Amino acid sequence: MTNNLPIKFNEIINLQSIGISPQFIGFNTLTMQSDKYICVREVSGEVPNVVIVDLQNPNQPSRRPIKAEAAIMNPKSMVIALKAGSLLQIFNIELKSKMKSYQIQEDVKFWKWISVNQIVLVTNTSVYHWSIEGTSEPVKVFDRHESLTNTQIIDYQVSDDKQWVSLVGITKINNRVVGKIQLYSIEKQVSQPFEGHSMVFASFKVNGATTPSTLCCVAMRNENMSKLHIVEVGGEKRGNEPKYQRTSVDIYFPQEAVTDFPLSMQIGEKYGVIYLITQMGYIHVYDLETGAMIYMNRISSETIFVTTQNKNNNGIIGVNRKGQVLTITINEETVIPYIVSTLKNLDLAISLTGRANLPGAEDLFMTQFNRYFEQGNYKQAAIIASNSPGQSLRTAQTINMFKQAPQQQGSPAPILQYFSVLLDKGKLNALESIELATPVVQQGRTQLIERWLKENKLECSEELGDLVRRIDTMLALSIYLRATASEKVVQCFAELGQFGKIIAYSKKFDYKPNYPMILSNLIQINAEAVTPFVQLLLNDESGQLIEIPTMMEILLRGGMIQDLTQIMLDVLKNNKEEEGPLQTRLLEINLNTAPRVADAIMAQEVFSHYDRAKIAYLCERQGLFQRALEHYEEISDIKRCVVHTEVIPPEWLLCKLEPNTLNDLELKNLLLFFENFNSFEGVYYYLGSVISQTQEADIHYKYIQAATKIGEIQEVEHICRTSDYYNPEKVKNFLKSSNLSSHLPLIIINPNKAPQVIGTLLDLDVNEDYIKELIMSIRGLIPVNELSLVVEKETD
């Protein structure tokens, strides 16, 4: 064969070369149910064999001693069906086990695998289907039509939708082979007999249809004519969908093939072609859409008595009587140039190119497209563009041409015609999907997007998802999922609050999300969802999915201090030593932004491993002097803070500054520090804790002085009465210079002056109640005779 032929023709193997005798290469001893196995019965000798040839490894056949008068291999697996008389058996060869058996009461004339789990049994009168699953027996489907009586059954076909079956038989009349076919509707349970030698079903999608048509392809030859008929069956069920137009074409037989006839047909699904094999070894290739013949030639001098689809190359595979295993398929590189140059059938070249995306007609498509477009035949131009090889015309330039083309009266806009044709054909490419979706999104018609997605009309891309996301996040998510745009998928899950799905999706597709970025974005769009999301990230079974310091800084930048604090209090609840830096950072953040919260956390004493010096400094800076004093250890730091007695509880200060915690020098320095800042409250509260433990007159004096300054007169009276260590003269002079609310401290210091003091008060007409109270207070401090004089004078 020359290289410019529209078909490829190869011999896979010659069965004789692997030890199979020619006498066993025939219709009654060799079966081929698919392109996977050939099964041969060798019946010579005492022990018959069944030879199984795996076509993927044909040079190593398997021979097994099996007694059977018929054997057929499952189309896909190492399962074999055997027939011996009326006994039917099915075995799993690999498991060496019997799967099923049945004793049939009728003589089986023909059988065949019609699927991986079902066998057809044809008897003299009936047709049965037998499932290999379960324990079910063969089920009768229909009776053989009387026109097939006394014929040899050679084939049985089932349509893809399982609604139509056909039985093919041949018989010899007057030295001529006559073919009879029975077409049967499973749904209607009606048969239609007609003349024909071979029949095959095909699924074919007519231009403009959304569902495929079921085509019945019949090849026949009688004394008057040879025809290939292609007709749609069951078309009424597809409603108003475009129907396939019935086609009949002549089958050419050369003069030397007077007795030749069609023997078998197979469909090349990808190319939309029919491969027809004749009894004399001719191959015919027809276009399924138009019936046009693409090629015809003799490929075998011997009868190819068995054929099946070769799904590996969308061709046909068969065995002839010499044992040659032959395969024929379309030559993708040469078929279009052959149709253009040899057949001169430009329409066929265009349709076949568009159907199977074949090379060789790019210039032809461009010429045809421009011709139709210039004529204003936009629909036909759109059809040409939709079928262009490699989508060479489905470009932005073409879209712009249709956008700018003038609208014709009574017709839809050219761009709408273009997209209508593309949608009828199938799936749009990424560019077309975006162009079509843009105005739909602008109009808010999400139902159209949903429908096209459901019908698989749009190519999902990240750009399409971005477009749809403007109006519908959930719909955009479905697009991102189909486009495997993982980053956008995760973003949508976050936006929708479906955080568990983020983690599950990422694990399933081994995607590493940028969780910090996702968290930052989530703060902007759905702040309420932040805490649940972070908890999922921190508590995943596989470990933390985000670094805690990173998470803290993101929440801090987002102003979510309360959420941050809540999360971290839970994270740090076990107060582990290694978490000290995190404890420090949490307190630091709150001291800088919410000091009262930090103060409350420290009050609970839940942390003990943080940087105390750093936290002390921050507490001091925020005016939390008590907290600062709790943490400071250096005396210089303590002295700096302790002066702020106006905000430090006295009782706490007394406890904090116990004398036994400081040496004498430190005590004096601290006292001097208070005085320098005129902090008499500090002096008072501090010395109040040490006054009972010192005999230094100066300390007692300073205590009296501080108590006087802050109005603690009762304490002045008490210390003046009980202390033996202050300098009375010095204290008296200080008290005299002070504007005391009570003269009792002066009298306590110098009782001999009591009459003089009271006399002076009387002369000044001081409130009598005060004088009475003062007299009562000094009882026991001065001699009775002196007190009497005072009382007597007061009475006068």
Side-chain angles (χ1 to χ4, degrees):
M1 299 290 178
T2 58
N3 292 331
N4 62 349
L5 294 180
I7 64 168
K8 290 180 179 179
F9 170 55
N10 296 305
E11 177 182 303
I12 296 176
I13 195 171
N14 191 313
L15 297 178
Q16 295 187 48
S17 69
I18 56 174
I20 297 176
S21 173
Q23 62 180 313
F24 305 126
I25 302 175
F27 185 79
N28 293 321
T29 52
L30 183 149
T31 57
M32 182 171 63
Q33 304 283 288
S34 70
D35 57 5
K36 190 168 181 61
Y37 300 110
I38 292 175
C39 185
V40 183
R41 289 187 305 113
E42 296 179 328
V43 295
S44 63
E46 295 183 0
V47 181
N49 289 320
V50 170
V51 184
I52 300 171
V53 181
D54 185 341
L55 292 173
Q56 299 300 313
N57 189 18
N59 290 308
Q60 295 183 351
S62 171
R63 278 184 169 78
R64 299 173 185 272
I66 298 174
K67 293 181 179 180
E69 62 187 50
I72 51 176
M73 283 294 294
N74 186 277
K76 291 188 177 180
S77 60
M78 286 292 286
V79 171
I80 191 169
L82 302 172
K83 181 166 72 75
S86 61
L87 180 62
L88 307 177
Q89 294 180 310
I90 301 173
F91 288 90
N92 187 310
I93 297 174
E94 291 179 325
L95 300 179
K96 299 180 180 179
S97 62
K98 182 169 67 175
M99 299 174 62
K100 204 166 188 178
S101 65
Y102 182 72
Q103 197 85 31
I104 192 166
Q105 302 303 312
E106 301 178 62
D107 188 13
V108 176
K109 297 297 183 181
F110 177 86
W111 67 337
K112 174 184 177 180
W113 288 94
I114 54 176
S115 69
V116 294
N117 56 15
Q118 201 168 48
I119 295 174
V120 62
L121 306 171
V122 183
T123 69
N124 284 323
T125 60
S126 305
V127 175
Y128 299 86
H129 286 180
W130 186 30
S131 172
I132 68 172
E133 298 175 346
T135 59
S136 60
E137 298 180 355
V139 176
K140 182 177 178 180
V141 181
F142 62 95
D143 291 323
R144 280 178 58 168
H145 194 268
E146 59 183 13
S147 63
L148 274 75
T149 304
N150 298 323
T151 62
Q152 178 187 2
I153 303 301
I154 61 170
D155 198 15
Y156 184 82
Q157 295 285 331
V158 181
S159 65
D160 288 346
D161 61 6
K162 306 296 189 295
Q163 294 301 307
W164 298 88
V165 296
S166 66
L167 188 62
V168 182
I170 58 173
T171 186
K172 200 166 186 179
I173 301 176
N174 298 327
N175 294 321
R176 185 174 66 86
V177 175
V178 176
K180 299 291 184 180
I181 297 176
Q182 179 180 357
L183 177 66
Y184 182 77
S185 168
I186 299 292
E187 180 183 19
K188 297 179 180 179
Q189 299 182 359
V190 173
S191 288
Q192 179 181 353
F194 46 81
E195 188 177 1
H197 290 84
S198 180
M199 178 177 167
V200 67
F201 292 105
S203 291
F204 185 82
K205 196 172 182 182
V206 179
N207 279 331
T210 59
T211 56
S213 300
T214 297
L215 304 184
C216 175
C217 309
V218 179
M220 54 81 63
R221 184 182 191 187
N222 59 26
E223 295 175 329
N224 303 316
M225 61 180 178
S226 300
K227 289 286 187 181
L228 171 64
H229 301 291
I230 308 174
V231 61
E232 180 173 356
V233 292
E236 67 279 357
K237 295 183 67 176
R238 298 193 305 113
N240 295 325
E241 289 269 277
K243 305 297 189 298
Y244 180 87
Q245 299 300 311
R246 177 174 181 149
T247 299
S248 294
V249 295
D250 292 332
I251 300 175
Y252 173 73
F253 288 94
Q255 292 182 354
E256 64 271 18
V258 177
T259 60
D260 198 10
F261 61 90
L263 188 59
S264 65
M265 288 191 295
Q266 301 294 339
I267 300 297
E269 295 177 349
K270 175 182 178 181
Y271 310 113
V273 298
I274 302 170
Y275 300 103
L276 184 151
I277 299 291
T278 72
Q279 188 267 345
M280 294 182 65
Y282 284 85
I283 177 71
H284 295 240
V285 183
Y286 295 93
D287 175 52
L288 189 58
E289 181 176 17
T290 62
M293 188 179 74
I294 297 173
Y295 183 72
M296 186 275 286
N297 207 338
R298 192 171 193 178
I299 58 172
S300 173
S301 60
E302 298 288 335
T303 299
I304 302 175
F305 61 90
V306 61
T307 68
T308 187
Q309 274 188 328
N310 189 345
K311 293 187 177 180
N312 292 320
N313 63 9
N314 281 278
I316 183 172
I317 185 171
V319 182
N320 67 12
R321 292 190 182 276
K322 285 185 177 180
Q324 290 179 293
V325 182
L326 306 172
T327 179
I328 305 98
T329 189
I330 292 292
N331 186 332
E332 294 190 352
E333 299 299 323
T334 60
V335 64
I336 299 303
Y338 178 86
I339 293 173
V340 172
S341 61
T342 303
L343 302 183
K344 310 294 184 184
N345 191 336
L346 302 185
D347 289 336
L348 175 59
I350 289 174
S351 64
L352 185 56
T353 298
R355 191 183 309 143
N357 194 23
L358 301 176
E362 290 80 3
D363 293 342
L364 178 62
F365 270 77
M366 180 61 75
T367 300
Q368 291 283 72
F369 172 79
N370 289 333
R371 180 165 61 87
Y372 285 124
F373 201 91
E374 290 169 2
Q375 294 172 355
N377 191 344
Y378 300 125
K379 182 175 182 180
Q380 194 61 38
I383 292 174
I384 297 297
S386 70
N387 292 327
S388 59
Q391 298 192 352
S392 58
L393 288 175
R394 294 174 64 170
T395 63
Q397 181 181 357
T398 299
I399 292 173
N400 288 331
M401 287 178 65
F402 278 99
K403 282 182 176 180
Q404 297 168 11
Q407 183 172 356
Q408 298 167 337
Q409 187 174 1
S411 299
I415 188 63
L416 294 181
Q417 295 185 55
Y418 177 66
F419 280 120
S420 177
V421 168
L422 294 181
L423 289 170
D424 287 342
K425 179 175 177 59
K427 188 174 184 178
L428 306 187
N429 62 34
L431 172 65
E432 294 161 349
S433 298
I434 293 171
E435 286 286 346
L436 178 61
T438 297
V440 174
V441 168
Q442 291 171 348
Q443 298 167 18
R445 302 172 65 187
T446 56
Q447 68 277 7
L448 279 178
I449 304 290
E450 291 175 359
R451 191 186 79 189
W452 290 331
L453 287 174
K454 185 177 181 180
E455 295 173 352
N456 196 30
K457 295 292 187 181
L458 303 178
E459 181 174 329
C460 293
S461 63
E462 185 172 340
E463 292 78 7
L464 181 62
D466 293 344
L467 177 66
V468 174
R469 192 174 176 182
R470 301 173 188 172
I471 59 172
D472 194 323
T473 302
M474 184 64 76
L475 189 56
L477 173 60
S478 68
I479 295 173
Y480 291 138
L481 284 167
R482 290 177 171 91
T484 62
S486 297
E487 181 179 345
K488 296 296 177 67
V489 168
V490 168
Q491 288 178 9
C492 284
F493 278 140
E495 193 172 326
L496 295 167
Q498 299 175 350
F499 309 113
K501 291 184 179 180
I502 294 177
I503 298 172
Y505 173 87
S506 300
K507 290 180 178 179
K508 181 177 180 180
F509 293 96
D510 195 27
Y511 174 67
K512 307 298 183 185
N514 187 339
Y515 284 119
M517 181 179 294
I518 296 170
L519 184 57
S520 298
N521 292 336
L522 187 61
I523 291 173
Q524 305 301 320
I525 61 177
N526 189 2
E528 294 182 357
V530 168
T531 296
F533 181 45
V534 171
Q535 289 171 342
L536 285 175
L537 295 179
L538 296 180
N539 299 315
D540 187 71
E541 59 184 11
S542 64
Q544 292 177 350
L545 301 177
I546 189 171
E547 296 291 333
I548 292 179
T550 301
M551 175 273 296
M552 294 177 71
E553 298 311 311
I554 291 172
L555 266 61
L556 175 61
R557 288 197 302 269
M560 301 194 67
I561 309 302
Q562 184 175 348
D563 295 73
L564 166 61
T565 303
Q566 176 187 344
I567 292 168
M568 291 306 299
L569 286 175
D570 183 63
V571 169
L572 303 175
K573 61 186 176 184
N574 294 323
N575 193 24
K576 297 178 182 178
E577 183 176 355
E578 61 270 22
E579 295 173 342
L582 295 177
Q583 294 179 357
T584 303
R585 184 58 178 147
L586 177 61
L587 291 173
E588 178 186 12
I589 289 171
N590 277 280
L591 282 168
N592 288 330
T593 58
R596 291 189 178 183
V597 175
D599 186 48
I601 294 173
M602 288 184 282
Q604 295 175 13
E605 298 183 351
V606 293
F607 298 154
S608 55
H609 302 292
Y610 54 88
D611 185 337
R612 298 182 65 82
K614 183 175 185 179
I615 297 306
Y617 168 74
L618 293 174
C619 287
E620 180 184 357
R621 195 173 70 179
Q622 293 294 342
L624 299 176
F625 298 110
Q626 177 182 330
R627 295 295 175 208
L629 287 170
E630 288 175 347
H631 291 79
Y632 276 138
E633 295 179 358
E634 296 294 329
I635 187 61
S636 58
D637 295 324
I638 294 173
K639 289 194 293 184
R640 187 174 63 251
C641 283
V642 78
V643 299
H644 298 281
T645 54
E646 71 280 2
V647 293
I648 303 175
E651 62 276 10
W652 182 89
L653 190 62
L654 289 175
C655 178
K656 173 66 180 177
L657 301 178
E658 290 181 358
N660 57 6
T661 65
L662 303 170
N663 58 41
D664 290 341
L665 180 60
E666 289 173 339
L667 288 173
K668 291 177 182 180
N669 288 336
L670 188 59
L671 187 60
L672 180 61
F673 181 79
F674 281 127
E675 291 175 341
N676 288 339
F677 286 92
N678 292 319
S679 178
F680 291 104
E681 284 189 351
V683 174
Y684 172 74
Y685 286 116
Y686 171 58
L687 292 183
S689 65
V690 302
I691 195 68
S692 63
Q693 302 176 40
T694 181
Q695 297 179 6
E696 291 189 27
D698 191 52
I699 297 297
H700 283 252
Y701 171 75
K702 289 181 181 294
Y703 182 63
I704 293 171
Q705 183 185 44
T708 302
K709 290 289 186 182
I710 65 174
E712 292 288 343
I713 300 302
Q714 289 186 348
E715 183 62 18
V716 174
E717 294 173 0
H718 171 74
I719 198 67
C720 288
R721 188 191 302 272
T722 60
S723 174
D724 297 326
Y725 306 111
Y726 60 84
N727 184 323
E729 188 66 23
K730 186 176 182 180
V731 171
K732 180 187 71 174
N733 291 335
F734 166 72
L735 293 177
K736 287 175 65 176
S737 64
S738 301
N739 186 19
L740 296 176
S741 60
S742 171
H743 291 77
L744 182 59
L746 279 170
I747 295 174
I748 292 172
I749 292 173
N750 192 356
N752 296 329
K753 294 290 184 179
Q756 181 181 348
V757 170
I758 293 174
T760 301
L761 294 174
L762 289 171
D763 292 339
L764 295 173
D765 293 328
V766 175
N767 184 285
E768 292 184 1
D769 290 337
Y770 170 74
I771 295 175
K772 290 179 180 179
E773 181 179 347
L774 183 60
I775 292 173
M776 295 300 295
S777 298
I778 63 176
R779 290 178 182 276
L781 294 178
I782 62 176
V784 175
N785 59 338
E786 293 182 12
L787 181 61
S788 299
L789 291 174
V790 171
V791 172
E792 180 180 330
K793 188 174 183 179
E794 188 272 336
T795 304
D796 293 339

